[in-house]
Amino acid sequence: MASRKFAAFLFQKTFNSMKSTTVTSLNALPCATWCRLHVQPRSWVSGKKFSSSVPKPQKQTVKVTFILRDGSRSEVDATVGDNLLDIILEHDVDIDGFGACEGTLACSTCHLIFKQEDYDKLPSKPTDEELDMLDLAFGLEDTSRLGCQVIVTKDLDGMVVTVPQGVADARSGPL
Amino acid sequence: MNIIQQLRQTIQGPQLTWCIARAVKLSTKSFKKEIDLFHSIRYNFGKSFSSSGTFYSTSSSACQHVAIVGSGPAGYYTAQKLLKSHPDLVVDIYEKLPVPFGLVRFGVAPDHPEVKNVINTFTNTANSDRCNFFGNVELGKDLSLKDLRDAYTAVVLCYGAAEDRVLGIPGEDLPNVLSARSFVGWYNGLPQDAQLPVNLDCESAVVLGHGNVALDVARILLTPISILEKTDISEHALEALRRSSVKRVHIVGRRGPLQVAFTIKELREMTQLPDTRTVIQQTDVDGIDKYIQDLPRPRKRLTDLIYKSSVSPGEKEVKTWKEASREWRLVFLRSPLQILQDTNGQVKGIELAVNRLEGDSLKNQRAVATDEREVIHCGLILRSIGYRGLPLDDDLPFNNSRGVIENKNSRIKNEKGLYCAGWIGHGPVGVIVDTMTDGFETGKIILADIQSGVLESNDEHKRQGLLKSLQAKAITFSDWKKIDRAETEAGAKVGKPREKISDIQQMIQIAKS
Ligand code: FES
């Protein structure tokens, strides 16, 4: 029963996605859709494989909301124990250029800003190496972290995280 | 009309069945992947439909084609933005070399493989059916800027900063006085630098400059071979480094510890190099501690690390440094005056003027030479005092002193349809995140100009003609994949991620096989 429901859900999801891509003006599509259509998410090439058909054991999730550069909000069910880079990829939260070095502490493109109370609850303090990369990020704040280094815990349920503007966005505003 | 009816009209029966079948069979994640594949198949149909005006509601406006010159990060990030935010725009990327990715391949140090992960994103962009790669095609030789401008909606120059600044002092043309840039090209397998005459048969080397490239070349000179041989460093460089006698590297800058241009990550790496001691004279950092607290955070942490490495290094560092057989020295307030040679015409040292700093603002203090002189004995000198771009075309508005094309927000001055991104537009500074935002920004600006009607659609006839004329010569992205495979296979045999081919003919041969 559950699996049939799941399939129906997927089917509906597909319809919705196809509906939008076939009958609306393609110019009007959100970036994310076009990204998926024509520039595949990079996780495909980074060697991650997603298992098919085997039902996953129920994982604990918490709500995390991202405030994107254009001011819009994206709420996801984040799996406890995952880092925020993986969560953003998993849920296709559309942030240009996010996670360029794929979580290897070599880029600072996964820069996120936390509320003070959430920042204090994060399970680990930033290492020197993380701070070194963070120092190169745009719009650095005292409660900045690199998303690839932040692991989600139960305590963080309801957390709201801001994706800072890049310098570029500040110059011309989102298109 | 309901969704299903609409769907039936636009997709064929078997495709719909396929879609449903997959939906039932797959988990969300892989299903999504399949759906994307499906869309891309459908898109290909769409391509042919769109010209007849029946598929896209937007198809009345003709296709836009954008040419990008240079396939480094600026080029690929600009392309990424353009493709993502416009449904049917096509990007053609032109590259002088047969292989893509510019400085990610030829600039990023071989012991920094993480930075090269960005290639995965570039490859995704390149795999889009609206993105073409034409390698082995040189602007100014195989085609002119005018050819491109006639054939495309917009042309984006992303060819980087090709020239390095020179010191202009006596002895600069002696053998073994090299530009750090060429040295980087040499160990990274850049074809033009593969034959660089590098002689590492000396104990001491001097690197002039306090930027990240200076630290990169010093680090490569000092890193144990056991580490380097597991990277994609080019074989000829590895061979030379195996036989290297270099034990000491002086990294010399004109100004003081508060003005260094390198970043903290690279400095920390230097302080943690195995078997290598960090030497920063205490007299050089005396007194800077009182400024540290008031500096903005990045500068504050960087200065603090310089200060602590000199005055109070950590236990681990003290231990390594005590036992180390090699060392690097961070030398401040010295300007090169002349390079000294022995009777055989070989470098034997460099004469430096001792400077003092003038000016109030710490960041912008100027170095002024005193009468004091100093000589550092060395057999190798690497000059790393900055890069500059070249105009490429005489008609381009060019800022000679900065070495950049005159532009405002990536729009090249007074040249409609011509843009620039990356180092050729903003100067050779910054790390990947800077070039990324610049590329995205340039993409946005072009899209805005298309939307506002400043840019008209291009003459597709001309573009096809141009592509046809280049067909025999150009290396496509699937050609590159052959080179890529050959390199990774050769690397696997010797325990390296890749063995770079640095001979252009050989690249072409593999690509066209
Ligand atoms: S993804 Fe590059 S530092 Fe986090």
Side-chain angles (χ1 to χ4, degrees):
Chain A
M1 179 63 204
S3 68
R4 205 188 294 167
K5 240 187 194 165
F6 184 54
F9 163 74
L10 288 179
F11 187 49
Q12 187 58 44
K13 204 171 158 180
T14 321
F15 268 161
N16 290 340
S17 126
M18 275 191 282
K19 182 185 139 203
S20 63
T21 49
T22 47
V23 296
T24 61
S25 153
L26 292 178
N27 262 340
L29 281 182
C31 296
T33 316
W34 273 105
C35 174
R36 280 204 296 281
L37 292 184
H38 301 302
V39 183
Q40 306 162 346
R42 59 169 189 71
S43 55
W44 297 5
V45 274
S46 63
K48 278 188 203 162
K49 295 243 159 53
F50 299 101
S51 65
S52 60
S53 53
V54 189
K56 282 186 195 151
Q58 268 294 312
K59 282 199 187 138
Q60 191 171 13
T61 61
V62 295
K63 295 266 181 239
V64 174
T65 303
F66 297 97
I67 302 181
L68 305 182
R69 291 179 183 138
D70 63 359
S72 67
R73 297 164 84 94
S74 172
E75 187 188 85
V76 304
D77 292 314
T79 307
V80 170
D82 281 1
N83 70 54
L84 286 174
L85 170 63
D86 284 343
I87 287 163
I88 282 169
L89 292 177
E90 173 105 30
H91 295 271
D92 285 323
V93 182
D94 183 35
I95 308 169
D96 268 345
F98 198 85
C101 80
E102 308 189 348
T104 55
L105 265 188
C107 74
S108 83
T109 60
C110 61
H111 176 203
L112 296 171
I113 299 172
F114 295 79
K115 287 187 183 164
Q116 186 69 51
E117 64 260 35
D118 293 328
Y119 184 86
D120 295 336
K121 274 192 255 166
L122 297 179
S124 62
K125 293 268 156 288
T127 59
D128 281 341
E129 284 71 21
E130 182 184 340
L131 292 171
D132 290 354
M133 280 324 298
L134 212 39
D135 278 355
L136 302 177
F138 297 129
L140 186 65
E141 304 254 342
D142 288 341
T143 55
S144 288
R145 288 289 303 262
L146 291 179
C148 68
Q149 304 300 309
V150 172
I151 308 281
V152 170
T153 60
K154 272 187 286 178
D155 295 356
L156 296 169
D157 194 20
M159 151 168 91
V160 179
V161 183
T162 304
V163 181
Q165 302 278 321
V167 159
D169 303 280
R171 264 199 279 162
S172 72
L175 187 88
Chain B
M1 204 165 25
N2 69 22
I3 298 167
I4 294 179
Q5 282 171 328
Q6 285 177 345
L7 260 170
R8 286 242 156 83
Q9 282 192 350
T10 34
I11 51 178
Q12 310 298 315
Q15 290 173 355
L16 190 62
T17 323
W18 172 85
C19 171
I20 297 166
R22 300 306 284 185
V24 177
K25 215 168 147 195
L26 297 169
S27 73
T28 333
K29 203 66 196 190
S30 41
F31 176 68
K32 197 189 77 49
K33 186 170 166 178
E34 297 274 336
I35 276 303
D36 290 341
L37 181 70
F38 174 80
H39 279 309
S40 98
I41 296 167
R42 201 223 60 204
Y43 173 74
N44 282 331
F45 289 124
K47 251 187 176 173
S48 46
F49 291 157
S50 66
S51 53
S52 63
T54 54
F55 191 76
Y56 294 137
S57 53
T58 55
S59 58
S60 53
S61 67
C63 243
Q64 312 277 0
H65 293 85
V66 173
I68 290 179
V69 180
S71 68
Y76 268 107
Y77 280 127
T78 305
Q80 184 180 334
K81 184 75 204 176
L82 288 170
L83 293 170
K84 183 178 164 182
S85 304
H86 192 292
D88 47 11
L89 181 148
V90 173
V91 173
D92 291 343
I93 299 181
Y94 290 89
E95 167 61 53
K96 182 169 84 170
L97 290 165
V99 293
F101 311 137
L103 280 187
V104 178
R105 179 181 163 105
F106 295 116
V108 172
D111 59 340
H112 285 170
E114 324 81 44
V115 183
K116 300 188 199 195
N117 282 348
V118 296
I119 285 178
N120 294 334
T121 309
F122 300 162
T123 301
N124 276 332
T125 303
N127 282 338
S128 156
D129 42 6
R130 292 183 294 129
C131 184
N132 301 303
F133 173 78
F134 302 110
N136 197 31
V137 178
E138 188 172 352
L139 194 60
K141 217 175 99 195
D142 301 309
L143 79 184
S144 69
L145 185 57
K146 184 171 181 309
D147 293 337
L148 284 180
R149 296 184 73 178
D150 288 348
Y152 288 89
T153 305
V155 178
V156 196
L157 301 176
C158 305
Y159 59 83
E163 203 182 53
D164 67 329
R165 293 184 187 272
V166 292
L167 298 162
I169 59 168
E172 197 168 356
D173 43 11
L174 288 173
N176 240 18
V177 179
L178 307 169
S179 98
R181 184 194 180 99
S182 305
F183 189 76
V184 170
W186 173 73
Y187 65 63
N188 274 337
L190 183 64
Q192 72 190 51
D193 293 322
Q195 311 298 331
L196 191 76
V198 179
N199 178 356
L200 302 179
D201 198 10
C202 56
E203 278 217 353
S204 174
V206 164
V207 179
L208 297 168
H210 274 173
N212 279 339
V213 178
L215 296 197
D216 274 353
V217 295
R219 195 177 68 250
I220 295 297
L221 282 170
L222 294 168
T223 298
I225 288 294
S226 57
I227 295 175
L228 290 180
E229 64 191 6
K230 295 197 188 74
T231 71
D232 66 2
I233 190 167
S234 60
E235 199 50 39
H236 52 253
L238 191 59
E239 236 348 88
L241 286 161
R242 273 203 183 98
R243 286 179 277 119
S244 164
S245 317
V246 175
K247 292 262 172 296
R248 194 176 316 111
V249 179
H250 307 260
I251 305 182
V252 179
R254 285 180 304 130
R255 299 194 286 168
L258 289 164
Q259 291 89 23
V260 294
F262 49 71
T263 50
I264 187 167
K265 173 181 187 254
E266 278 69 18
L267 174 66
R268 195 182 300 281
E269 254 182 308
M270 290 300 288
T271 65
Q272 295 173 348
L273 262 187
D275 193 29
T276 307
R277 172 169 43 248
T278 298
V279 181
I280 303 172
Q281 296 298 338
Q282 208 160 322
T283 45
D284 281 333
V285 298
D286 266 350
I288 65 167
D289 47 327
K290 62 173 183 282
Y291 299 113
I292 292 178
Q293 275 321 310
D294 301 325
L295 295 169
R297 171 167 149 185
R299 179 59 69 177
K300 173 166 146 187
R301 294 186 66 250
L302 175 62
T303 311
D304 193 50
L305 183 59
I306 296 176
Y307 185 76
K308 289 216 174 94
S309 302
S310 172
V311 178
S312 55
E315 247 172 64
K316 211 174 107 221
E317 280 78 20
V318 171
K319 187 166 176 289
T320 315
W321 296 356
K322 216 168 123 195
E323 294 157 4
S325 67
R326 302 175 172 201
E327 71 175 32
W328 75 280
R329 293 171 164 261
L330 192 51
V331 182
F332 298 104
L333 298 170
R334 301 288 184 274
S335 289
L337 292 176
Q338 63 168 324
I339 293 165
L340 310 169
Q341 54 181 308
D342 63 14
T343 46
N344 300 322
Q346 301 296 319
V347 175
K348 69 167 187 185
I350 184 164
E351 186 185 329
L352 305 158
V354 179
N355 297 333
R356 64 185 159 76
L357 292 176
E358 263 181 14
D360 300 331
S361 104
L362 287 178
K363 197 166 164 266
N364 297 319
Q365 280 185 317
R366 281 178 308 119
V368 183
T370 65
D371 294 336
E372 214 180 313
R373 299 286 177 267
E374 186 183 280
V375 170
I376 298 180
H377 295 285
C378 61
L380 168 68
I381 293 172
L382 298 172
R383 172 186 67 216
S384 178
I385 53 167
Y387 301 155
R388 61 194 309 279
L390 292 170
L392 196 89
D393 191 297
D394 292 342
D395 297 336
L396 282 183
F398 200 77
N399 181 328
N400 264 311
S401 65
R402 289 183 58 217
V404 298
I405 301 173
E406 297 273 17
N407 70 95
K408 190 158 184 268
N409 282 348
S410 308
R411 293 183 182 100
I412 296 178
K413 216 167 140 191
N414 304 328
E415 303 283 341
K416 194 178 108 183
L418 200 55
Y419 302 80
C420 59
W423 285 5
I424 191 60
H426 303 280
V429 285
V431 290
I432 196 88
V433 64
D434 303 278
T435 303
M436 184 177 90
T437 37
D438 186 26
F440 289 164
E441 171 71 4
T442 307
K444 276 190 208 169
I445 299 267
I446 295 167
L447 292 166
D449 287 354
I450 289 175
Q451 221 159 45
S452 69
V454 172
L455 298 177
E456 294 130 31
S457 53
N458 56 301
D459 184 341
E460 178 56 2
H461 225 73
K462 280 205 176 126
R463 173 177 169 263
Q464 288 301 339
L466 189 64
L467 296 186
K468 210 155 172 213
S469 72
L470 297 168
Q471 202 174 14
K473 192 167 196 296
I475 304 285
T476 65
F477 205 76
S478 44
D479 292 339
W480 146 249
K481 285 181 179 165
K482 291 188 211 162
I483 303 176
D484 184 37
R485 204 174 316 126
E487 288 188 337
T488 40
E489 281 171 10
K493 289 196 186 120
V494 289
K496 292 164 98 176
R498 160 191 311 278
E499 187 64 68
K500 285 184 192 164
I501 297 165
S502 54
D503 180 72
I504 291 188
Q505 284 319 314
Q506 202 187 338
M507 289 175 181
I508 295 172
Q509 210 183 347
I510 293 173
K512 297 288 186 192
S513 64

